[in-house]
């Protein structure tokens, strides 16, 4: 700033007067006035006050600061230097007019000069250097420190609106930045890349160059400043503990602390998330991250548990990646041995030699397999009857296999024996009952009543399970024993097991059935050789011979059969965004008679698929959409080319995998409004949804459009993954509808966003706290012309009614006269006839 004096000053003022007043005519009588003048403009005239008398003196007092004054003779208010908004934003003066004797003839009047700010101050950081600490695996976008800068310019103008950025950091080993900064708040957080790659073992220190610009960073002429930020990366505290082992059926008071986890960030909320959908998860976590088992566990009920620990902030947002916790339940010996059968029944032939195996006593233990807790030992306690000796049987201690000692059994001495067997583990013991039946030796072979059952002719379409023949053989051994029971089998002529023979346990008859579908094209005749045997082995010296064999022949006739698919069900899995004409699957079918096969689809109601009728290749025919059908089912039809009636079907199940192709959308059935006038603290609920498949950690981000009006008037705060509050920042709203631009984005890969305009009504509310719309009614009388028109209309209607009544009466009178004349004519005619 500078001041002029004497002649130089007067010349400068006169020059300014000529330059400024000559064109603008800024003159007028003395009155209260306001002026706005940009800072830094230098010497200039502001205004010339006038008076009807020329013999007066003008005087200015107040906040002149040596920069503002008035020429006493001419009344020109002027600057003799540059104003500075940062020094004083408003100058308040008093101007008055005096006569030659110093008596005030007018005034004083208030003259206020508002200094307009210009962008003449660069932003400055609060510190010359910043330091911060971030943990490995910290959540992307979660601030861990903040930088702050100030600008001395007018904060209500863009001159002092600051914009932060990170041009680069050292080192930067990846294509993407590891850190990011909020352009408005200066909060620094890891980027998505940084959240994944930051590792103190690889690089524990970074230097960030943080830049700040005024003018909201929108112009090239903005002032810019920068500062270094030193970031130290420390090891993550958020780690899953090793597998936790808990002994079952603990007698400790519960809950019992079993482990602890710790988040990288303070004041988080710990929660347990389980995927197994158990009726009750016997674990809990407190807000210190300590994990507890809440009740005794039973390994036999469930031997292992897996669940996740998650952390959330106060807004319900996930802070850390979920940790998987594995718990193994350690076995104790708390289960006794259990006999598999109430009574184990075994059979032994009377001629069995010593050491022969009779059978196995089956017992189980519910404790952990292949441990001492479930190891069983067997011991015979008693034998009844004890003839011819008390130790006819031996049981293997570890396996439970029963054997004969050196004595052969004799059915005439005892036909059965009862054993008491003790089964023990390390702690418990159980008594099992065993019944051993002595059976007759097998010294007779089965003999068929016929050596040849001739033949039968059947169609190849005969269903599986159809009985073709009943056969009979007899056995001379003791009835109802393994020595006399007959097993029928096809010995020759059936390599594919097309037939099966079942034995009727009451009659010992054999029932020959179709076991697999007959096929004329594969075999037109089956020459079967059937044998009859016993389940018990024959005694030494006795063998089966031709008497235990019989013959039977099956002739198969051809039937036209439909094509057969190679698979009973075809399945495929595709992403919903695959291009049209993508190959889904190839189906194959063959016709038993060798006819050509044609393929088609049924049930493709969405027209998503097409099939090549010759090759069976199925392609996508139009765009797929998992949100419409997650599992799409159609039928594939294979028919003979020359006989379409011969066809078969098989299902195709198409599972669609989701891709992130739907941005979030509003999900509200209610209007957004605030009651006028606003009192402060109001908020209204916003609800959104996402049509894509949701994971347990899915979330929607709400944000307002980054423009000055929206940012100054509204703010949005998130409640949870799908809800947020919209709140006004002040109460100076008019009674009208406001359009509030908002953006919603999901956390898919890649993320999608949708811009919406929220219509927010600021309105007078009724007693029910809803918008009240007043209906305006007009209270006016009709004009003279309207009155005359209404009167004429009424008279015309009355005239029409009277005319109608008159014509109706005339018509009725005429009709009566006509009827009377007709009656008179008939009367005269009758008289003439007489």
């Amino acid at each position: 700033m500078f001041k002029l004096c004497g002649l130089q000053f007067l010349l400068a003022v006169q020059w300014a007067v000529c330059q400024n007043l000559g064109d603008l005519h800024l003159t007028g009588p003395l009155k209260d006035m306001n002026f706005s003048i940009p800072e830094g403009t230098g010497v200039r005239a502001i205004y010339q006050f006038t008076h009807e008398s020329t013999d007066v003196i003008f005087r200015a007092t107040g906040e002149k600061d040596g920069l503002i004054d008035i020429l006493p003779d001419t009344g020109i208010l002027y600057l003799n230097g540059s104003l500075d908004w940062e020094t004083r934003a408003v100058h308040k003066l008093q101007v008055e007019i005096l006569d030659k004797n110093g008596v005030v003839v007018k005034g004083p009047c208030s003259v206020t000069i508002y200094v307009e700010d210009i962008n003449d101050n660069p932003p400055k950081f609060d510190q010359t250097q910043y330091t911060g600490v971030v943990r490995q695996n910290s959540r992307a976008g979660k601030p861990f420190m903040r930088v702050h800068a100030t600008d001395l310019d007018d904060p209500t103008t863009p001159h002092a609106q600051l914009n932060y950025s990170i041009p680069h950091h050292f080192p930067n080993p990846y294509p993407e930045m590891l850190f990011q900064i909020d352009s408005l708040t200066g909060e620094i957080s890891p980027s998505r890349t940084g959240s994944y790659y930051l590792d103190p073992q690889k690089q524990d220190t970074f230097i960030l160059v943080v830049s700040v610009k005024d003018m909201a960073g929108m112009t090239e002429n903005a002032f810019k400043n920068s500062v270094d930020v030193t970031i130290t990366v420390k090891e993550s505290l958020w780690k899953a503990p090793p597998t936790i082992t808990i002994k079952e059926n603990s007698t400790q008071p519960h809950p019992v602390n079993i482990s602890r986890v710790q988040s990288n960030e303070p004041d988080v909320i710990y929660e347990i998330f389980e995927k197994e959908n158990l009726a009750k998860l016997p674990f809990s976590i407190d807000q210190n991250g300590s994990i507890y088992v809440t009740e005794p566990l039973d390994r036999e009920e469930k031997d292992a548990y897996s669940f996740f620990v998650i952390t959330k902030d106060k807004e319900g947002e996930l802070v850390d990646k979920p940790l998987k916790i594995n718990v193994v339940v350690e076995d104790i010996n708390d289960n006794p041995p259990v006999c598999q059968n109430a009574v184990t029944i075994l059979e032994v032939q009377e001629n069995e030699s010593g050491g022969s195996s009779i059978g196995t006593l089956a017992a189980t233990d519910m404790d952990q397999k292949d441990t001492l807790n479930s190891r069983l030992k067997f011991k015979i306690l008693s034998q009844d009857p004890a003839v011819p000796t008390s130790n006819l049987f031996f049981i293997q201690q570890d396996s439970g296999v029963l054997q004969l000692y050196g004595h052969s059994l004799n059915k005439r001495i005892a036909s059965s024996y009862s054993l008491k067997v003790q089964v023990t583990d390390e702690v418990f013991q159980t008594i099992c009952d065993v019944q051993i039946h002595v059976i007759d030796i097998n010294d007779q072979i089965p003999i068929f009543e016929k050596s040849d059952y001739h033949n039968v002719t059947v169609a190849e379409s005969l269903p599986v399970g159809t009985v073709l023949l009943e056969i009979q053989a007899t056995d001379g051994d003791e009835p109802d024993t393994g020595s006399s029971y007959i097993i029928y089998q096809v010995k020759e002529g059936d390599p594919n097991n097309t037939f099966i023979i079942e034995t009727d346990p009451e009659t010992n008859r054999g029932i020959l059935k179709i076991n697999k579908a007959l096929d004329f094209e594969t075999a037109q005749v089956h020459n079967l050789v059937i044998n009859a045997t016993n389940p018990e082995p024959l005694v030494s010296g006795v063998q089966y011979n031709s008497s235990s064999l019989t013959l039977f022949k099956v002739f198969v006739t051809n039937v036209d059969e439909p094509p057969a698919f190679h698979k009973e069900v075809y399945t495929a899995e595709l992403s919903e965004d695959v291009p049209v004409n993508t190959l889904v699957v190839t189906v194959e079918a063959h016709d038993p008679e060798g006819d050509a096969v044609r393929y088609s689809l049924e049930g493709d109601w969405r027209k998503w698929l097409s099939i090549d009728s010759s090759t069976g290749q199925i392609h996508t025919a139009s765009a797929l959409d998992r949100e419409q059908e997650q599992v799409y089912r159609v039928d594939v039809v294979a028919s003979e080319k020359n006989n379409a009636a011969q066809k078969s079907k098989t299902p195709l199940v198409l599972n669609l995998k989701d891709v992130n192709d739907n941005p979030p959308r509003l999900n509200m059935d209610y209007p957004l409004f605030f009651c006028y006038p606003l009192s402060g603290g109001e908020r209204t609920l916003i609800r959104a949804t996402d049509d894509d498949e949701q994971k347990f950690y899915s979330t929607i981000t709400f944000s307002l459009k980054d423009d000055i009006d929206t940012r100054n008037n509204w703010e949005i705060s998130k409640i949870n993954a799908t809800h947020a509050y919209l709140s006004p920042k002040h109460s100076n709203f008019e009674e009208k509808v406001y359009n509030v631009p908002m953006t919603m984005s999901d956390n898919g890969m890649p993320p999608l966003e949708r811009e919406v305009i929220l219509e927010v009504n600021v309105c007078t509310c009724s007693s029910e706290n809803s918008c009240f719309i007043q209906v305006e009614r007009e209270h006016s009388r009709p004009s003279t012309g309207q009155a005359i028109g209404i009167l004429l209309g009424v008279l015309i209607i009355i005239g029409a009614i009277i005319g109608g009544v008159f014509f109706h009466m005339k018509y009725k009178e005429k009709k009566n006269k006509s009827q009377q004349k007709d009656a008179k004519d008939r009367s005269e005619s009758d008289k003439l006839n007489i």
Side-chain angles (χ1 to χ4, degrees), residues 221-239:
N221 296 329
F223 287 109
K224 177 181 176 182
N225 208 337
S226 61
V227 70
D228 285 354
V229 179
T230 302
I231 305 296
T232 301
V233 182
K234 292 191 175 182
E235 188 176 0
S236 176
L237 301 174
W238 184 243
K239 295 180 180 179

Side-chain angles (χ1 to χ4, degrees), residues 54-306:
T54 58
D55 196 18
V56 293
I57 297 173
F58 295 86
R59 182 172 64 188
T61 59
E63 299 170 345
K64 297 191 291 182
D65 294 351
L67 297 173
I68 308 170
D69 211 338
I70 192 166
L71 292 177
D73 294 332
T74 61
I76 297 175
L77 184 68
Y78 65 92
L79 295 178
N80 63 7
S82 295
L83 298 179
D84 186 9
W85 181 90
E86 287 75 25
T87 303
R88 188 187 297 271
V90 179
H91 294 263
K92 294 185 178 181
L93 308 176
Q94 300 292 322
V95 178
E96 53 190 359
I97 301 175
L98 298 81
D99 60 17
K100 293 296 185 178
N101 298 320
V103 178
V104 176
V105 297
K106 189 172 183 179
C109 293
S110 296
V111 176
T112 304
I113 298 176
Y114 294 94
V115 183
E116 295 179 3
D117 182 54
I118 65 173
N119 190 22
D120 57 351
N121 287 282
K124 293 182 179 179
F125 283 98
D126 295 350
Q127 300 175 209
T128 57
Q129 188 172 4
Y130 291 84
T131 59
V133 175
V134 64
R135 292 282 180 180
Q136 179 185 10
N137 297 331
S138 291
R139 180 170 55 133
K142 181 69 175 178
F144 61 87
M145 68 170 295
R146 180 185 180 189
V147 297
H148 183 260
T150 56
D151 192 304
L152 296 178
D153 288 319
D154 187 355
T156 63
T157 67
H159 305 154
Q161 291 180 7
L162 305 183
N163 182 277
Y164 299 91
S165 64
I166 302 177
H168 45 267
H169 60 69
F170 305 99
N172 188 10
Y174 301 101
E176 298 179 6
M177 300 280 283
L178 300 179
F179 300 92
Q180 59 191 16
I181 190 168
D182 189 302
S183 62
L184 299 179
T185 65
E187 293 175 322
I188 300 175
S189 61
S191 65
R192 287 182 179 271
T193 304
S195 177
Y196 185 82
Y197 286 110
L198 285 175
D199 185 350
Q201 302 296 325
K202 296 180 179 178
Q203 180 69 37
D204 63 353
T205 304
F206 292 86
I207 296 178
L208 279 58
V209 178
V210 177
S211 173
V212 62
K213 288 183 178 182
D214 58 16
M215 300 299 291
M218 301 298 292
T219 66
E220 294 182 359
N221 296 329
F223 287 109
K224 177 181 176 182
N225 208 337
S226 61
V227 70
D228 285 354
V229 179
T230 302
I231 305 296
T232 301
V233 182
K234 292 191 175 182
E235 188 176 0
S236 176
L237 301 174
W238 184 243
K239 295 180 180 179
T243 299
I244 303 167
T245 301
I246 304 175
K247 281 192 174 182
E248 66 171 330
N249 297 323
S250 171
T251 58
Q252 289 181 266
H254 285 73
V256 176
N257 178 249
I258 56 175
S259 187
R260 184 175 183 271
V261 294
Q262 183 178 351
S263 174
N264 287 325
E265 300 182 24
D267 302 325
V268 297
I269 300 170
Y270 294 90
E271 292 182 5
I272 284 179
F273 175 85
E274 58 98 7
K275 279 188 168 183
E276 296 183 84
N277 295 322
L278 302 176
K280 180 184 179 184
L281 185 69
F283 301 95
S284 65
I285 190 169
D286 64 18
Q287 291 315 301
N288 293 320
S290 296
I291 303 173
Y292 299 87
V293 58
T294 58
E295 61 187 42
L297 306 181
D298 187 352
R299 192 204 67 85
E300 287 70 43
E301 180 179 326
K302 188 171 178 59
D303 61 359
Y305 295 85
S306 290

Side-chain angles (χ1 to χ4, degrees), residues 434-487:
V434 180
Q435 192 79 32
I436 300 176
H437 296 291
V438 182
I439 59 175
D440 182 33
I441 60 174
N442 188 12
D443 56 357
Q444 299 290 324
I445 64 171
I447 298 175
F448 275 105
E449 62 180 9
K450 294 181 182 180
S451 61
D452 192 337
Y453 281 88
H454 304 295
N455 60 72
V456 66
T457 301
V458 296
E460 66 175 335
S461 60
L462 214 59
V464 171
T466 301
V467 175
L468 300 183
L469 177 69
E470 290 191 9
I471 55 180
Q472 180 73 67
T474 58
D475 193 298
D477 288 313
E478 181 181 354
D480 301 325
T481 66
S483 299
S484 61
Y485 183 79
I486 299 177
I487 298 173

Side-chain angles (χ1 to χ4, degrees), residues 251-433:
T251 58
Q252 289 181 266
H254 285 73
V256 176
N257 178 249
I258 56 175
S259 187
R260 184 175 183 271
V261 294
Q262 183 178 351
S263 174
N264 287 325
E265 300 182 24
D267 302 325
V268 297
I269 300 170
Y270 294 90
E271 292 182 5
I272 284 179
F273 175 85
E274 58 98 7
K275 279 188 168 183
E276 296 183 84
N277 295 322
L278 302 176
K280 180 184 179 184
L281 185 69
F283 301 95
S284 65
I285 190 169
D286 64 18
Q287 291 315 301
N288 293 320
S290 296
I291 303 173
Y292 299 87
V293 58
T294 58
E295 61 187 42
L297 306 181
D298 187 352
R299 192 204 67 85
E300 287 70 43
E301 180 179 326
K302 188 171 178 59
D303 61 359
Y305 295 85
S306 290
F307 56 89
F308 293 88
V309 173
I310 59 176
T311 54
K312 294 182 179 179
D313 57 23
K314 294 179 181 179
E315 285 74 35
E317 296 282 353
L318 282 176
V319 175
D320 301 293
K321 298 175 183 178
L323 288 185
K324 188 175 184 181
I325 309 297
N326 295 310
V327 178
V328 173
V329 184
E330 185 178 346
D331 184 49
I332 64 172
N333 196 346
D334 57 348
N335 289 281
V338 177
C339 307
Q340 191 164 321
N341 301 300
V343 179
T344 300
I345 299 176
L346 304 173
E347 291 182 345
V348 58
Q349 288 185 343
E350 57 182 345
N351 66 334
E352 289 286 353
S353 58
S356 297
S357 174
I358 301 172
T360 302
L361 172 60
T364 58
D365 193 303
M366 292 292 292
D367 289 317
Q368 187 172 354
K369 187 178 179 181
D370 298 328
T371 66
L372 292 176
N373 295 335
S374 60
R375 181 192 181 191
L376 302 182
K377 294 182 179 181
F378 300 85
K379 179 182 179 181
I380 297 176
L381 297 180
S382 64
Q383 168 195 312
D384 183 34
V387 292
T389 64
S390 60
N391 59 343
L392 293 173
F393 305 98
F394 168 78
I395 191 166
Q396 294 181 12
Q397 176 180 278
D398 290 323
S399 65
V401 174
L402 278 160
Q403 296 174 286
L404 279 174
Y405 267 119
H407 308 280
S408 295
L409 303 180
N410 191 327
K411 187 174 182 179
R412 291 186 294 273
I413 297 176
S415 61
S416 65
Y417 292 89
S418 296
L419 305 181
K420 295 288 186 183
V421 179
Q422 176 181 277
V423 185
T424 61
D425 60 18
E426 290 291 311
V427 177
F428 302 98
Q429 66 177 29
T430 301
I431 304 299
C432 295
D433 292 321

Side-chain angles (χ1 to χ4, degrees), residues 517-582:
L518 301 175
D519 188 1
F520 174 83
E521 289 71 26
T522 302
Q524 301 175 14
V525 62
H526 298 270
N527 295 304
L528 305 181
V529 177
I530 302 171
N531 68 355
T533 60
N534 303 125
E536 289 295 333
L538 296 171
V539 297
S540 178
V542 179
Q543 294 181 346
Y544 297 107
N545 55 39
S546 60
S547 299
S548 300
L549 300 175
T550 190
L551 304 176
F552 182 57
K553 187 176 293 186
V554 180
F555 292 98
V556 181
T557 60
N558 189 30
V559 176
D560 188 12
E561 300 170 279
F565 283 96
H566 291 186
K567 295 182 180 180
E568 294 183 0
V569 178
Y570 287 88
T571 60
E573 185 176 70
L574 291 176
S575 292
E576 61 175 328
D577 61 345
V578 297
V580 174
N581 206 33
T582 296

Side-chain angles (χ1 to χ4, degrees), residues 472-719:
Q472 180 73 67
T474 58
D475 193 298
D477 288 313
E478 181 181 354
D480 301 325
T481 66
S483 299
S484 61
Y485 183 79
I486 299 177
I487 298 173
Y488 299 94
Q489 292 175 310
V490 178
K491 184 178 180 181
E492 298 177 12
D494 187 22
N496 298 320
N497 298 320
T498 305
F499 305 95
I500 188 173
I501 306 175
E502 298 175 353
T503 302
D504 185 335
E506 301 293 332
T507 63
N508 247 0
R509 292 179 65 81
I511 302 170
L512 177 68
K513 298 180 180 180
I514 299 175
N515 185 46
K516 295 180 181 178
L518 301 175
D519 188 1
F520 174 83
E521 289 71 26
T522 302
Q524 301 175 14
V525 62
H526 298 270
N527 295 304
L528 305 181
V529 177
I530 302 171
N531 68 355
T533 60
N534 303 125
E536 289 295 333
L538 296 171
V539 297
S540 178
V542 179
Q543 294 181 346
Y544 297 107
N545 55 39
S546 60
S547 299
S548 300
L549 300 175
T550 190
L551 304 176
F552 182 57
K553 187 176 293 186
V554 180
F555 292 98
V556 181
T557 60
N558 189 30
V559 176
D560 188 12
E561 300 170 279
F565 283 96
H566 291 186
K567 295 182 180 180
E568 294 183 0
V569 178
Y570 287 88
T571 60
E573 185 176 70
L574 291 176
S575 292
E576 61 175 328
D577 61 345
V578 297
V580 174
N581 206 33
T582 296
L583 179 64
V584 179
V585 70
T586 300
V587 299
E588 292 185 74
H590 72 279
D591 185 75
E593 289 73 38
D595 291 340
V597 176
R598 180 185 298 276
Y599 300 96
S600 61
L601 297 176
E602 287 185 1
D604 182 21
W605 64 282
R606 291 197 178 274
K607 307 301 181 185
W608 282 355
L609 304 174
S610 65
I611 189 168
D612 188 304
S613 61
S614 300
T615 65
Q617 289 185 338
I618 299 176
H619 293 80
T620 58
S622 59
L624 309 178
D625 189 352
R626 190 205 67 86
E627 285 68 43
Q628 293 183 2
E629 298 283 343
Q630 184 173 354
V631 180
Y632 191 53
R633 294 178 174 86
V634 298
D635 286 330
V636 185
V637 180
S639 57
E640 296 180 3
K641 275 192 175 180
N642 299 323
N643 184 7
Q646 289 287 34
K647 61 182 180 180
S648 58
K649 297 181 182 180
T650 191
L652 166 62
V653 180
L654 177 59
N655 296 292
L656 297 182
K657 295 187 294 184
D658 187 51
V659 297
N660 192 31
D661 58 350
N662 288 280
R665 59 179 176 85
L666 290 177
N667 183 24
M668 300 186 300
D669 55 1
Y670 50 87
L672 302 179
F673 69 93
F674 295 101
C675 292
Y676 179 84
L678 278 71
S679 58
E682 294 93 342
R683 61 186 184 182
T684 187
L685 183 67
I686 300 172
R687 183 174 65 201
T689 188
D690 194 312
D691 294 325
D692 289 312
E693 183 179 6
Q694 299 300 307
K695 309 299 181 185
F696 71 91
Y697 53 85
S698 62
T699 184
I700 296 174
T701 301
F702 301 84
S703 59
L704 295 174
K705 186 176 180 181
D706 190 15
D707 62 66
I708 294 177
D709 287 342
T710 304
R711 194 164 60 246
N712 290 342
N713 293 331
W714 306 96
E715 62 182 351
I716 197 164
S717 56
K718 190 163 184 178
I719 304 172

